[in-house]
Amino acid sequence: MGSRGSTLSKIPNVDKLMQETGFSQAHIIRLHDRFRALDNDEKGYLCPQDFEAIKELAMNPIGDRIIGAFFAQGPQQETVDFNSFVKVLAHFRPTDKNRPKESTSPDPINSRTNKLKFAFQLYDQDKDGKISRDELLQVLRAMLEMQVTEEQLESITDRTIQESDTDRDNAISFEEFRKSLDKVNIEHKMSIRFLR
Amino acid sequence: PGSSVWGWCFDQWHLSAILNNVFFFLSVFHFSQRFTTVVPESCMLILLGLVLGGVVLITSKKQPYQLDPGLFFLFLLPTIVGDAGYFMPARLFFDNLGPILMYAVVGTLWNAFCTGFCLFGMKAAGVIVEAGLMEFLLFGALISAVDPVAVLAVFEEVHVNETLFIIVFGESLLNDAVTVVLYKVYISFVEVGPGNVQTADYFKGIASFLVVSIGGTLVGLVFAGILAFVTRFTKKVRIIEPLFVFLLVYLAYLTAELFSLSAILSMTFCGIGCNKYVEANISQKSRTTVKYTMKTLASIAETIIFIFLGISAVDKSKWAWDTGLVSCTLIFIFVFRAMGVVMQTWVLNRFRLIPLDRIDQVVMSYGGLRGAVAFALVVLLDGEHVKAKDYFVATTIVVVFFTVMFQGLTIKPLVKWLKVPRSTNRKPTINEEIHERAFDHILAAVEDIAGLNGYHHWRDKWEQFDKNYLSKLLMRKSVYRKSELWEAYQKINIRDAISVIDQGGNVLTSARLSLPSMASRTSFPEVTNVTNYLRENGSGVCLDLQVIDTVPGAKMEVESETHHFLAGNLYKPRRRYHSHYSRHFMTTGDQERQEREVFQRNMRSRLENFKSTRYKRYKKDRSQKKRRGSDVKEQEANDKPRRNVSWQDKVVPLESEEEKGEHTEPEKEEDVGITFVARKAPETPKERPKSVPAALEVCQSPSVFPPSPTSAEKNLPWKGGLGTLPVCVSMEATKIIPIDLQQAWNQSISSLESLSSPPVPAEPQHPRVSALSRLGGPARIHSATVPVTGLGSAGSTDTSQGSGQFQFPAGGGGGGGEEEERPLSLQQQEMQPLMSLVRPPPPPPPPPPQGAARRRNPCVYLRSLVAAPPPGSEPHSRRPTQL
C-alpha cells in the first residue's frame, strides 16, 4: 500500500476529488490501491476488460450494465481514469445526515437524486431519458434468468410500467421512476459502507 | 382429602371459566380501539390477572395457581418463539445481525455482570438482603435478559420502524443463549459452593456458552433443513403439511432443550431457516393455516402468560419483600441498560451505514422489557441453595410489572413525543420489488469493483449458493422454477384483485353486466391487468373476469357472454359441491350462498313464467303421456353430467321450436328445456346500457320465443310441485337442453338465419307471456294446484286444463285487468285476436313503435328474473307499454 503521503501525491487533483466526492483521504488511498490492482498493465486507466476480469462481477446478472455505467460518465468512452472511477463509486457513499444543510447548492454526488439517476441509467441503455418496455424487459430477463417464462416476464414488465407510468406513454421517465420509489429509503438501499 | 380434590376440581373449572372470560374481555378490548391504543394489552392482562388472583386468594385463602415454569418452558414459550421465528423477516434480521448479536451477547453479559456486582456491592453496604456473590450474579443474569414475550407484546403495538424493532426483538430472542448459560453456570456454582469453583470452571462456562449458542443454532438449522426437505414431498398429503411445520419447529425446540442447548435460539433459527423453502413448498391453504394457527396459539400463550403473571403476583407465600433490593434492582437494570446501549451503539455506529441516532438509543434502552422468562427462571430456583429466593421472586415480579406496565404504558407516548420514525404497513409495489432487487445487484457489483468484501458481497455469494444448491435440494422442482419476483408479482396482483372485488364488487358486477361498454374498462385498469394475469395462469378464478375482456361485437357474442356469465354464476355451486371431499366439506361460504340465492331467485321467477305459460299450453294440447315421457327424459338427464352448450346452440333450437310449435305440437315437448334458456338471452342484453343496438337485434328474437313457453308448459306442470325447489328444477332443465338440442339441431341451422324475420305466430304470444310473467306470484300459487289437477285427471283434456286456468285468475286477485286478458289467451281461440293484433308488425321490417314494445318485454323479463318482484306489484300500467 505504501505510505499515505506518497500514495496521495501520486493522485492528481486529490483535493478537488475529495471535495467533489466527499471521500476521506483514507478512502481515496484505499480506492487508489484498488484502482491500481484492477489496472493490470499500469496504464493509468481502466478499460472494460479490466472490469470483466473481476470474477464475481461476471456472475452478476447486471454486471455488464454497471461496467457500462463507469464508461458512460466522462466524454471519453473507452477508458476510465481514477477520477471518474472514484466519482462513480461516490454515488454509493452513504449520505451523511449533517451535510446536506451546508452544501445544498451543489447537489452532492451521493444525493438521493444522483443515486436514483445512476440506477435509472442502468435501465435506460439508449439514454433517451425513458425506460422503455424493451429496456425494462431486458433488465428483468437478466435478473430473473431462466426462472420465468417469457410471457411471465412480459406480464411483469407490463404491470411494472403500468404501475408507474403516469403519463401513459408506455415508458418510465426519470420523474416516474423517482415517484415510484418515493417510499423507498434510497439513501439506505443505494449506499455502501466504504472501509476507511 | 376429598374436599380438597373437590376444591381443586372446582378451582380448575373456575379457572377455565375465568380464562374464557378473559378471552372474551380481550376481544372486547380489541373492539374498543381507543382503549387499546392507550393501554397495551399486556398491561391489561396483568391487571386482570392481579384482580383474578385477588379474587381467588380471597375465596380459597390459598393461591393455587401460578405460572408453572414447566408449563411455561414446554408449551407457552415455544408457541411464541415459534411464531416469532417462523415469521421473522429474514432479510431485515440478517441485515441487522451484527447489532443484534452485539446487543444480545455483549449487552446481556454487561447487564448481568453489572447488575450482579452492583447488587453485591449494595449488600456489602448493608442496604439490601444478605446473599452470596454468586446468588447476586445469578439473579443479575436472569433479570438482565430482555424478554421476547414482553418486547413482542409491547412493540407490536408501538409500531416503531422496522430496524429498531428488529434490533430489540432480535436481541431478546438471541440473548437466550447467554441467559441460559449464565443461569446454568451460576446455578452449578451456587450448588457447588463459591469456594469450590476453580478457574477452569470459568473457562468451561465460556466454552459452554459457545456450545450452547452455536449448538442451538445448528440444531435449529438442521431441523429447518429437515422440515424444508420433508415439505418437498407432501404434495399428496396437503392436509398434514401444517402439522409438519408445527411438529418439526417444536421438535427443534425440544431437541435443543434435551441437550441443554439454547432452545429459543434453535427454534428461532429453525423458523428463519425453513420459512423460505417451506412457504414455497406448501400449498396456499397450508400457508394460511400455518399462519393463523401460529398467530392464534401465540396470542393465546401470550395471554395466558400475562394473566398468570398477574395471578402469581398475588401469592404472598411465595415472595418476601425487600425495598432495598427492589429499588436497587430497578435502578440498576435501567441504568445499566441505558449505559450498555449507548456504549454499544457508539461502537456499532462506527461500522454502521445508517447510524443509530440518539432517539433510537433512547427507545432501545427504554424498550428493554423484562418478562415471563425471568419470572419462570426465578421460580425455578432451588430454595435450598439460593436462600434469598423469595426476595428474588418478589423483586423479579416487581421488575417485570414495572417494565411491562409502566414502560409499556409510557413507551408509546415517548415514541410519539420523540417522533421516532414509525413503521409503515405498506406492501411494496412491483416497481419497488424490481428496483430494490436491482439495487442489490448494483451494490454487490460496486462492492466487487471497489474491492470491498462487504455485506453485499457476502449476501450475493450466499444467494448464489442458495440458488444453485440449497433451493434445488429443498424446494419442489415446480416451485424452484418460479422466481421470487414472479411470486411477488403474483401476490401483488392477487392483492389487487381482491381489493378490486372488495371495494368495487358492485362496480365489477355492473361492469360485467355492461360488458359491451368498454368505457368502464378504462376506469379500472387493474381489472384488465388482473384478468390478463389470471388468464395466463389458467386459474379458476378468472372465469368471470375474463368475460370483461371479450369485446362482444355482435349479438351472438353478447349472448355467448351472457351464457358464460350465467353458466359461471349459476351452476358453479353444484359443481363445487361435488368436488368437495366430504370430510372437509364445510358450510357454504357467503359467496356460494349468495350465488345460490341469486340463482334460486332467477330460477323461481323463470319457473313462474313457465307455469303461467304452461296453462295456456295445456289447453291446446297436452296428454299426460307426453308429460310422463318428458319426465323420464328429465330423469335421464339428471344422471348425465351437465354439458356445456354454447349460447348459439341454444338459440338455434328455439327457432326451430317456433316453427315446430306452430305446426307440430307433439314435438314441442323436447324443446321445453331450451325455451327458458333462450329467453334469457334477450333479457341479459337489456341490462347493458350500450348494447341498445344489440338489444334491437335481439328484440326480434323474443318474438321467436313465444312458442317455446308453450312447449315448456308440458314439462313444467309436472314440475310445478317442485317449484319451491328451484335448484332441482334448474338442474333438470339444464340437462334437458342437450337432449333437445340433439333433435332440434339439424333444423336449427337454417332457422338461425331467419332470426331477423321470425315466424309470424310467435309474436302474438309474446306479450301474453310477458304479462303472465308479471303475474308470477299468482302463477306460483297456481302451479301448486296445477300438478294436482294434472294428476287427478289422468287423461287431461283441454277442459281440465281450462279449469286450472280459471283458478289461476282467482288466485292472483291483484292484476284484474290482466286476468281478463288471460282467460282469453288461455283458450286456443282466444289466441287469434291477440295474434291478429300483433300480426301486422311482425314481418321483416317492423314498425318502430312495435320494436320498442318488444324491447320492453325483455326488460320485464329481466326484472322478474333479477329482482323477483312481488307477484301483485306489477300494475296494469305496464301493459300499455308492452302492447
Short mmCIF file of all heavy atoms in Angstrom, two decimals, chain A residues 116-117 120-133 135 165 167 169-178:
data_model
loop_
_atom_site.label_atom_id
_atom_site.label_comp_id
_atom_site.label_asym_id
_atom_site.label_seq_id
_atom_site.Cartn_x
_atom_site.Cartn_y
_atom_site.Cartn_z
N LEU A 116 -30.42 7.82 -7.61
CA LEU A 116 -31.51 7.35 -8.46
C LEU A 116 -31.13 7.46 -9.94
O LEU A 116 -31.44 6.58 -10.74
CB LEU A 116 -32.78 8.17 -8.19
CG LEU A 116 -33.56 7.74 -6.97
CD1 LEU A 116 -34.73 8.67 -6.73
CD2 LEU A 116 -34.08 6.32 -7.16
N LYS A 117 -30.45 8.55 -10.25
CA LYS A 117 -30.07 8.74 -11.65
C LYS A 117 -29.14 7.61 -12.10
O LYS A 117 -29.23 7.12 -13.22
CB LYS A 117 -29.38 10.09 -11.82
CG LYS A 117 -30.35 11.17 -12.22
CD LYS A 117 -29.65 12.47 -12.55
CE LYS A 117 -30.68 13.56 -12.77
NZ LYS A 117 -30.18 14.87 -12.35
N PHE A 120 -31.15 4.67 -12.67
CA PHE A 120 -32.01 4.87 -13.84
C PHE A 120 -31.24 4.63 -15.13
O PHE A 120 -31.74 3.99 -16.05
CB PHE A 120 -32.56 6.30 -13.80
CG PHE A 120 -33.54 6.59 -14.88
CD1 PHE A 120 -34.85 6.16 -14.78
CD2 PHE A 120 -33.16 7.30 -16.01
CE1 PHE A 120 -35.76 6.43 -15.77
CE2 PHE A 120 -34.07 7.56 -17.01
CZ PHE A 120 -35.37 7.13 -16.89
N GLN A 121 -30.00 5.12 -15.16
CA GLN A 121 -29.26 4.98 -16.41
C GLN A 121 -28.86 3.53 -16.67
O GLN A 121 -28.55 3.16 -17.79
CB GLN A 121 -28.01 5.84 -16.36
CG GLN A 121 -27.01 5.33 -15.35
CD GLN A 121 -25.71 6.08 -15.43
OE1 GLN A 121 -25.59 7.02 -16.18
NE2 GLN A 121 -24.74 5.66 -14.64
N LEU A 122 -28.90 2.71 -15.62
CA LEU A 122 -28.63 1.30 -15.85
C LEU A 122 -29.76 0.67 -16.65
O LEU A 122 -29.55 -0.25 -17.44
CB LEU A 122 -28.48 0.56 -14.52
CG LEU A 122 -27.25 0.91 -13.70
CD1 LEU A 122 -27.18 0.04 -12.48
CD2 LEU A 122 -26.00 0.73 -14.53
N TYR A 123 -30.96 1.16 -16.41
CA TYR A 123 -32.08 0.66 -17.20
C TYR A 123 -32.06 1.30 -18.58
O TYR A 123 -32.24 0.64 -19.58
CB TYR A 123 -33.39 1.02 -16.51
CG TYR A 123 -33.67 0.28 -15.24
CD1 TYR A 123 -33.41 0.85 -14.01
CD2 TYR A 123 -34.24 -0.99 -15.28
CE1 TYR A 123 -33.69 0.18 -12.84
CE2 TYR A 123 -34.52 -1.67 -14.11
CZ TYR A 123 -34.25 -1.08 -12.89
OH TYR A 123 -34.53 -1.75 -11.75
N ASP A 124 -31.87 2.60 -18.56
CA ASP A 124 -32.04 3.38 -19.78
C ASP A 124 -30.78 3.28 -20.63
O ASP A 124 -29.94 4.17 -20.62
CB ASP A 124 -32.35 4.82 -19.40
CG ASP A 124 -32.56 5.68 -20.61
OD1 ASP A 124 -32.91 5.12 -21.67
OD2 ASP A 124 -32.37 6.90 -20.52
N GLN A 125 -30.71 2.22 -21.40
CA GLN A 125 -29.48 2.00 -22.16
C GLN A 125 -29.33 2.93 -23.35
O GLN A 125 -28.24 3.31 -23.72
CB GLN A 125 -29.43 0.54 -22.63
CG GLN A 125 -29.18 -0.43 -21.50
CD GLN A 125 -27.76 -0.34 -20.94
OE1 GLN A 125 -26.82 -0.74 -21.58
NE2 GLN A 125 -27.63 0.18 -19.74
N ASP A 126 -30.43 3.32 -23.94
CA ASP A 126 -30.30 4.18 -25.12
C ASP A 126 -30.31 5.66 -24.74
O ASP A 126 -30.30 6.52 -25.62
CB ASP A 126 -31.39 3.87 -26.15
CG ASP A 126 -32.77 4.12 -25.57
OD1 ASP A 126 -32.86 4.52 -24.40
OD2 ASP A 126 -33.77 3.90 -26.30
N LYS A 127 -30.35 5.92 -23.47
CA LYS A 127 -30.19 7.29 -22.96
C LYS A 127 -31.19 8.28 -23.55
O LYS A 127 -30.84 9.41 -23.86
CB LYS A 127 -28.78 7.80 -23.26
CG LYS A 127 -27.70 6.87 -22.76
CD LYS A 127 -26.49 7.64 -22.36
CE LYS A 127 -25.36 6.72 -21.94
NZ LYS A 127 -25.81 5.46 -21.37
N ASP A 128 -32.39 7.85 -23.73
CA ASP A 128 -33.39 8.80 -24.20
C ASP A 128 -34.21 9.35 -23.04
O ASP A 128 -35.23 9.98 -23.23
CB ASP A 128 -34.32 8.13 -25.23
CG ASP A 128 -35.09 6.98 -24.62
OD1 ASP A 128 -34.74 6.56 -23.50
OD2 ASP A 128 -36.04 6.48 -25.26
N GLY A 129 -33.74 9.08 -21.85
CA GLY A 129 -34.43 9.63 -20.68
C GLY A 129 -35.68 8.86 -20.30
O GLY A 129 -36.45 9.30 -19.47
N LYS A 130 -35.85 7.74 -20.93
CA LYS A 130 -37.02 6.93 -20.59
C LYS A 130 -36.63 5.47 -20.56
O LYS A 130 -35.82 5.02 -21.37
CB LYS A 130 -38.12 7.12 -21.64
CG LYS A 130 -38.94 8.35 -21.42
CD LYS A 130 -39.94 8.51 -22.53
CE LYS A 130 -40.71 9.80 -22.32
NZ LYS A 130 -41.56 10.10 -23.44
N ILE A 131 -37.24 4.75 -19.63
CA ILE A 131 -37.08 3.30 -19.65
C ILE A 131 -38.22 2.76 -20.48
O ILE A 131 -39.38 2.79 -20.07
CB ILE A 131 -37.15 2.73 -18.22
CG1 ILE A 131 -36.10 3.37 -17.32
CG2 ILE A 131 -36.96 1.23 -18.26
CD1 ILE A 131 -36.21 2.94 -15.89
N SER A 132 -37.87 2.27 -21.63
CA SER A 132 -38.93 1.74 -22.48
C SER A 132 -39.25 0.32 -22.02
O SER A 132 -38.57 -0.25 -21.17
CB SER A 132 -38.49 1.72 -23.93
OG SER A 132 -37.45 0.78 -24.08
N ARG A 133 -40.28 -0.20 -22.61
CA ARG A 133 -40.71 -1.54 -22.24
C ARG A 133 -39.60 -2.55 -22.54
O ARG A 133 -39.33 -3.44 -21.74
CB ARG A 133 -41.96 -1.89 -23.03
CG ARG A 133 -42.59 -3.19 -22.62
CD ARG A 133 -43.91 -3.38 -23.34
NE ARG A 133 -44.52 -4.63 -22.97
CZ ARG A 133 -44.22 -5.80 -23.53
NH1 ARG A 133 -43.30 -5.86 -24.45
NH2 ARG A 133 -44.84 -6.91 -23.14
N GLU A 135 -36.41 -2.06 -22.69
CA GLU A 135 -35.28 -1.91 -21.79
C GLU A 135 -35.56 -2.57 -20.45
O GLU A 135 -34.71 -3.27 -19.88
CB GLU A 135 -34.97 -0.42 -21.60
CG GLU A 135 -34.27 0.18 -22.80
CD GLU A 135 -34.25 1.69 -22.77
OE1 GLU A 135 -35.03 2.28 -21.99
OE2 GLU A 135 -33.47 2.27 -23.51
N ASP A 165 -46.30 4.32 -14.73
CA ASP A 165 -46.43 5.19 -15.89
C ASP A 165 -47.62 6.12 -15.73
O ASP A 165 -48.76 5.74 -16.00
CB ASP A 165 -46.59 4.32 -17.13
CG ASP A 165 -46.56 5.15 -18.38
OD1 ASP A 165 -46.09 6.30 -18.31
OD2 ASP A 165 -47.00 4.65 -19.42
N ASP A 167 -47.99 9.20 -17.26
CA ASP A 167 -48.42 9.92 -18.46
C ASP A 167 -48.78 8.98 -19.60
O ASP A 167 -49.02 9.42 -20.73
CB ASP A 167 -47.34 10.93 -18.91
CG ASP A 167 -46.01 10.23 -19.18
OD1 ASP A 167 -45.98 8.98 -19.08
OD2 ASP A 167 -45.03 10.92 -19.47
N ASP A 169 -47.28 6.89 -21.55
CA ASP A 169 -46.55 6.80 -22.82
C ASP A 169 -45.86 5.45 -22.93
O ASP A 169 -44.96 5.26 -23.74
CB ASP A 169 -45.54 7.94 -22.94
CG ASP A 169 -44.52 7.90 -21.81
OD1 ASP A 169 -44.73 7.12 -20.87
OD2 ASP A 169 -43.53 8.65 -21.87
N ASN A 170 -46.25 4.55 -22.06
CA ASN A 170 -45.72 3.19 -22.10
C ASN A 170 -44.21 3.15 -21.87
O ASN A 170 -43.51 2.32 -22.43
CB ASN A 170 -46.06 2.50 -23.41
CG ASN A 170 -46.19 1.01 -23.20
OD1 ASN A 170 -46.44 0.57 -22.08
ND2 ASN A 170 -46.01 0.25 -24.25
N ALA A 171 -43.74 4.08 -21.09
CA ALA A 171 -42.33 4.10 -20.73
C ALA A 171 -42.22 4.82 -19.39
O ALA A 171 -43.11 5.55 -19.00
CB ALA A 171 -41.50 4.80 -21.78
N ILE A 172 -41.11 4.58 -18.73
CA ILE A 172 -40.93 5.19 -17.41
C ILE A 172 -39.90 6.30 -17.55
O ILE A 172 -38.74 6.05 -17.87
CB ILE A 172 -40.45 4.15 -16.40
CG1 ILE A 172 -41.45 2.99 -16.31
CG2 ILE A 172 -40.30 4.80 -15.03
CD1 ILE A 172 -41.00 1.88 -15.41
N SER A 173 -40.35 7.49 -17.32
CA SER A 173 -39.41 8.61 -17.32
C SER A 173 -38.72 8.66 -15.97
O SER A 173 -39.10 7.96 -15.03
CB SER A 173 -40.14 9.92 -17.59
OG SER A 173 -40.97 10.22 -16.49
N PHE A 174 -37.70 9.50 -15.88
CA PHE A 174 -36.99 9.56 -14.61
C PHE A 174 -37.91 10.05 -13.50
O PHE A 174 -37.84 9.56 -12.37
CB PHE A 174 -35.78 10.50 -14.73
CG PHE A 174 -35.03 10.61 -13.44
CD1 PHE A 174 -34.36 9.50 -12.93
CD2 PHE A 174 -35.01 11.78 -12.71
CE1 PHE A 174 -33.68 9.58 -11.73
CE2 PHE A 174 -34.34 11.86 -11.51
CZ PHE A 174 -33.67 10.76 -11.02
N GLU A 175 -38.76 10.97 -13.85
CA GLU A 175 -39.67 11.51 -12.84
C GLU A 175 -40.58 10.40 -12.32
O GLU A 175 -40.79 10.26 -11.11
CB GLU A 175 -40.49 12.64 -13.46
CG GLU A 175 -40.99 13.67 -12.47
CD GLU A 175 -39.91 14.11 -11.47
OE1 GLU A 175 -38.76 14.41 -11.89
OE2 GLU A 175 -40.22 14.12 -10.28
N GLU A 176 -41.06 9.61 -13.23
CA GLU A 176 -41.93 8.50 -12.82
C GLU A 176 -41.15 7.47 -12.03
O GLU A 176 -41.66 6.89 -11.07
CB GLU A 176 -42.55 7.86 -14.07
CG GLU A 176 -43.61 8.71 -14.72
CD GLU A 176 -43.89 8.28 -16.15
OE1 GLU A 176 -43.16 7.41 -16.68
OE2 GLU A 176 -44.84 8.82 -16.72
N PHE A 177 -39.93 7.29 -12.46
CA PHE A 177 -39.06 6.36 -11.76
C PHE A 177 -38.88 6.81 -10.32
O PHE A 177 -38.99 6.03 -9.38
CB PHE A 177 -37.71 6.31 -12.48
CG PHE A 177 -36.72 5.36 -11.90
CD1 PHE A 177 -36.88 3.99 -12.03
CD2 PHE A 177 -35.62 5.83 -11.21
CE1 PHE A 177 -35.96 3.12 -11.49
CE2 PHE A 177 -34.70 4.97 -10.67
CZ PHE A 177 -34.87 3.61 -10.81
N ARG A 178 -38.61 8.09 -10.18
CA ARG A 178 -38.39 8.60 -8.84
C ARG A 178 -39.66 8.49 -8.01
O ARG A 178 -39.64 8.14 -6.84
CB ARG A 178 -37.95 10.06 -8.89
CG ARG A 178 -37.81 10.58 -7.49
CD ARG A 178 -37.05 11.83 -7.31
NE ARG A 178 -37.30 12.88 -8.24
CZ ARG A 178 -36.47 13.92 -8.36
NH1 ARG A 178 -35.40 13.99 -7.62
NH2 ARG A 178 -36.75 14.88 -9.22
#
